[in-house]
Amino acid sequence: EVQLVESGGGLVQSGGSLRLSCAASGFTFRVNSMSWVRQTPAKGLELVAAMTSGGITTYADSVKGRFTISRDNAKNTGYLQMNSLKSEDTAVYYCATRDDPDCSDSEEDYPYWGQGTRVTVAS
């Protein structure tokens, strides 16, 4: 059974940083692409970052230059480093994966999701 467990969310001041982690199990993590998707009531779902199994990354314009996606295949863990946080980054952040080494820029293409971790940025 595929399991993704996010951690690292919390309350941070505007301009601060957080690092989210995604612990993966139940599949061969190193061959899957992965992504981070956030959800807000106002905007719905937004895929903010994705990474192929080979390490190629893509970012939404809204986070480019501030967020960094990475992965440690030895630990079966993905990460999202978030710097220069803004109030508009407040959301529930989900880790998602799919059985494809290439990533997609659509959250609809990721069938496996974690339970999410909440990030609140205070202005």
Side-chain angles (χ1 to χ4, degrees):
E1 178 187 4
V2 173
Q3 284 197 323
L4 300 169
V5 180
E6 302 94 336
S7 61
L11 174 65
V12 63
Q13 294 296 314
S14 180
S17 298
L18 280 176
R19 188 177 81 155
L20 306 183
S21 298
C22 173
S25 62
F27 64 102
T28 307
F29 178 74
R30 61 180 173 80
V31 303
N32 276 31
S33 57
M34 61 169 291
S35 67
W36 287 92
V37 181
R38 66 186 181 187
Q39 184 175 33
T40 64
K43 294 185 178 180
L45 294 171
E46 178 187 19
L47 192 150
V48 296
M51 175 177 268
T52 69
S53 63
I56 297 172
T57 59
T58 183
Y59 298 93
D61 288 342
S62 58
V63 306
K64 202 170 291 183
R66 300 188 298 121
F67 289 13
T68 302
I69 187 173
S70 63
R71 62 195 297 163
D72 185 335
N73 290 336
K75 295 182 178 180
N76 286 348
T77 301
Y79 303 97
L80 184 68
Q81 178 67 44
M82 306 186 295
N83 298 330
S84 302
L85 283 162
K86 307 174 182 179
S87 58
E88 51 261 45
D89 295 318
T90 295
V92 177
Y93 285 74
Y94 298 92
C95 172
T97 189
R98 66 188 203 141
D99 295 326
D100 191 317
D102 293 326
C103 57
S104 168
D105 59 4
S106 171
E107 63 275 1
E108 296 180 349
D109 293 331
Y110 293 84
Y112 308 109
W113 293 56
Q115 84 289 349
T117 186
R118 183 173 297 277
V119 172
T120 302
V121 184
S123 56

